[in-house]
């Protein structure tokens, strides 16, 4: 294996096709080896957490402000990532504006109460809070860092994940419970108001390759398109080695693109619980096939804006916590060595 700090750049290899990005955490910009690794291999970054509502919404300031339809925001963690990107000339994808997860529960409460069983705010109040929040974030980012963000995850994970479930939408989401499906177009309408020229608005979801979920997402995208509210489909791309099916990914990607949307792979990783030779080679095979498929789509004229890995090295992956076993899902080892999977991705670019 080779030191990832000395290997040819991933993003340069795909320059003609799409950006290659990574999700970074709040500690990486202060770590010289990570800084070097990120600048060498990625021309897009996103925050693994720092831009999510729970790190932006400020309850004390909200209570002090005293406006029930307008939460106060604090941009410390957002600005630190944007400054790093700006200093290094790396474009940014903003993840994420409206999500059921990692959004403080007080944001949904009638009186900003943080109690578990607090009375929810009304639909109209929630729609006002949503628009105010989205515009506050977009105005701040676009004013303080013009030209840096190229795409916004406006709504994340709104479709029911349970394949056996009855409905289209994730009904347990506090967004759905307070506003019904109206929160989706409302979020995108606000984002259309707040976007700067050249920025795309993205709907982002996981398991977007699975046929049942794919069809539900397609139905949602068509509704949003009827009002010209969405530009890009973000396929998260959290895969598991034993079930990953590159042909299904290709079919889904083609179906989204056939609507006239751009594509992104927004959170790529392939869970595998060993790095013995057999697993290393299987991982390499899957990554190679996957990138070859994406390159083929791009060569056919399908617009792929970016392919973003969810983490930089295996040490940063959320999967070890999420799957409750050590995961080896990315291209670089914990010691920042380039894996066979890196070689396979580089080969697919040739
Ligand atoms: C994950 C982060 O990586 C973790 O650090 C955090 O604890 C939970 O969220 N889908 C998404 C991402 O859209 O925001 C999630 O990120 C992973 C799944």
């Amino acid at each position: 294996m080779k030191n990832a700090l000395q290997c040819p750049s991933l993003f340069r290899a795909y320059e003609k096709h799409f950006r290659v990005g990574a999700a970074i955490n709040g500690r990486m910009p202060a770590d010289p080896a990570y800084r070097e690794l990120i600048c060498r291999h990625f021309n897009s970054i996103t925050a693994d957490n720092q831009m999510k509502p729970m790190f932006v919404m400020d309850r004390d300031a909200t209570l002090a402000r005293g406006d029930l339809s307008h939460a106060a925001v604090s941009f410390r963690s957002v600005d630190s990532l944007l400054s790093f990107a700006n200093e290094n000339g790396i474009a940014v994808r903003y993840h994420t504006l409206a999500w059921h997860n990692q959004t403080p529960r007080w944001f949904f409460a009638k009186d900003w109460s943080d109690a578990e069983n607090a009375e929810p705010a009304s639909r109209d109040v929630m729609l006002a809070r949503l628009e105010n929040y989205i515009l506050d974030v977009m105005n701040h980012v676009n004013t303080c860092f013009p030209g840096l963000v190229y795409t916004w995850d406006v709504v994340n994970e709104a479709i029911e994940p349970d394949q056996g479930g009855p409905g289209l939408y994730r009904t347990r989401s506090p967004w759905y419970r307070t506003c019904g499906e109206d929160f989706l177009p409302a979020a995108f309408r606000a984002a259309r108001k707040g976007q700067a020229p050249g920025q795309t608005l993205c709907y982002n979801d996981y398991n977007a390759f699975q046929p049942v979920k794919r069809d539900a997402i397609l139905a949602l995208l068509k509704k949003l398109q009827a009002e010209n509210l969405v530009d890009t489909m973000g396929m998260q791309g959290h895969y598991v080695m034993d079930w990953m099916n590159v042909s299904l990914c290709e079919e889904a990607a083609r179906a989204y693109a056939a609507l006239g949307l751009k594509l992104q792979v927004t959170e790529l990783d392939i869970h595998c619980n060993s790095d013995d030779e057999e697993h290393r080679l299987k991982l390499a095979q899957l990554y190679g096939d996957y990138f070859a498929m994406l390159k083929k789509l791009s060569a056919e004229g399908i617009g792929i804006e970016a392919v973003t890995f969810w983490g930089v090295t295996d040490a940063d992956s959320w999967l070890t916590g999420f799957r409750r076993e050590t995961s080896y899902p990315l291209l670089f080892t914990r010691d920042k060595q380039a894996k066979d999977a890196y070689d396979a991705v580089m080969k697919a670019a040739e």
Side-chain angles (χ1 to χ4, degrees):
M1 279 194 276
K2 295 153 300 197
N3 184 340
L5 295 168
Q6 284 153 15
C7 292
S9 162
L10 279 170
F11 83 76
R12 289 202 190 286
Y14 282 91
E15 228 153 24
K16 278 192 275 166
H17 297 287
F18 39 76
R19 292 178 198 275
V20 180
I24 74 170
N25 65 38
R27 296 177 302 280
M28 290 177 190
D31 179 324
Y34 267 105
R35 275 208 305 271
E36 201 182 323
L37 195 56
I38 293 163
C39 293
R40 184 176 194 88
H41 289 292
F42 304 110
N43 59 354
S44 170
I45 54 174
T46 191
D48 73 343
N49 285 302
Q50 307 87 296
M51 296 175 157
K52 292 173 178 172
M54 69 180 281
F55 294 99
V56 178
M57 295 172 175
D58 182 332
R59 182 160 183 266
D60 288 339
T62 299
L63 292 173
R65 173 186 231 158
D67 179 344
L68 281 174
S69 57
H70 201 155
V73 280
S74 146
F75 291 111
R76 206 166 348 117
S77 69
V78 172
D79 286 355
S80 109
L81 183 134
L82 292 174
S83 304
F84 169 73
N86 204 25
E87 283 156 21
N88 293 286
I90 307 177
V92 176
R93 69 181 316 279
Y94 193 103
H95 174 76
T96 178
L97 293 168
W99 192 23
H100 64 280
N101 224 344
Q102 292 188 281
T103 302
R105 67 179 172 203
W106 57 263
F107 185 71
F108 297 96
K110 187 175 171 194
D111 52 1
W112 309 118
S113 159
D114 200 19
E116 208 176 318
N117 51 2
E119 191 182 332
S122 70
R123 172 184 176 283
D124 288 351
V125 167
M126 282 317 301
L127 291 174
R129 287 181 188 180
L130 175 66
E131 175 172 285
N132 285 328
Y133 176 70
I134 289 177
L135 288 175
D136 284 349
V137 174
M138 294 180 102
N139 288 338
H140 169 83
V141 169
N142 286 334
T143 305
C144 299
F145 296 90
L148 196 58
V149 167
Y150 65 95
T151 188
W152 298 86
D153 280 345
V154 179
V155 177
N156 194 30
E157 302 180 348
I159 295 294
E160 178 57 57
D162 179 1
Q163 301 276 306
L168 179 64
Y169 294 106
R170 181 191 292 271
T171 49
R172 287 155 302 140
S173 155
W175 279 117
Y176 191 88
R177 279 195 268 118
T178 51
C179 304
E181 63 182 87
D182 295 351
F183 87 90
L184 286 135
F188 278 93
R189 276 183 217 119
R192 275 280 185 250
K193 281 192 209 163
Q195 78 183 136
Q199 294 178 333
T200 52
L201 303 186
C202 187
Y203 174 74
N204 195 46
D205 214 327
Y206 63 93
N207 289 351
F209 66 94
Q210 288 177 350
V212 175
K213 190 160 175 183
R214 175 199 69 202
D215 290 347
I217 294 172
L218 287 167
L220 163 64
L221 292 170
K222 282 185 201 155
K223 283 194 197 178
L224 293 172
Q225 277 189 305
E227 246 189 273
N228 184 29
L229 292 175
V230 61
D231 307 307
T232 300
M233 173 59 203
M235 302 175 73
Q236 286 189 4
H238 294 295
Y239 301 111
V240 174
M241 176 176 278
D242 293 337
W243 322 326
M244 185 176 178
N245 181 330
V246 177
S247 318
L248 279 183
C249 298
E250 177 173 350
E251 273 174 43
R254 288 185 184 282
Y256 299 125
L259 295 183
L261 295 172
K262 298 192 176 76
L263 299 179
Q264 286 187 35
V265 178
T266 55
E267 305 184 15
L268 181 57
D269 49 28
I270 304 176
H271 175 58
C272 73
N273 61 7
S274 165
D275 69 344
D276 66 13
E277 193 180 1
E278 185 194 333
H279 286 82
R280 279 206 313 274
L281 296 178
K282 176 92 192 284
L283 188 74
Q285 176 82 46
L286 287 168
Y287 267 118
D289 291 351
Y290 191 70
F291 272 80
M293 179 273 286
L294 293 171
K295 193 182 116 182
K296 177 177 73 182
L297 297 186
S298 156
E300 285 176 25
I302 290 179
I304 301 178
E305 295 179 300
V307 178
T308 299
F309 292 91
W310 204 244
V312 178
T313 77
D314 286 346
D316 332 311
S317 175
W318 71 303
L319 286 170
T320 290
F322 184 68
R323 298 278 175 194
R324 301 205 165 96
E325 58 180 0
T326 306
S327 190
Y328 304 85
L330 296 168
L331 303 190
F332 303 130
T333 66
R334 287 169 169 71
D335 306 330
K336 304 188 182 64
Q337 303 294 304
K339 295 159 65 170
D340 297 307
Y342 161 88
D343 294 331
V345 169
M346 291 302 281
K347 188 147 198 308
E350 283 167 14

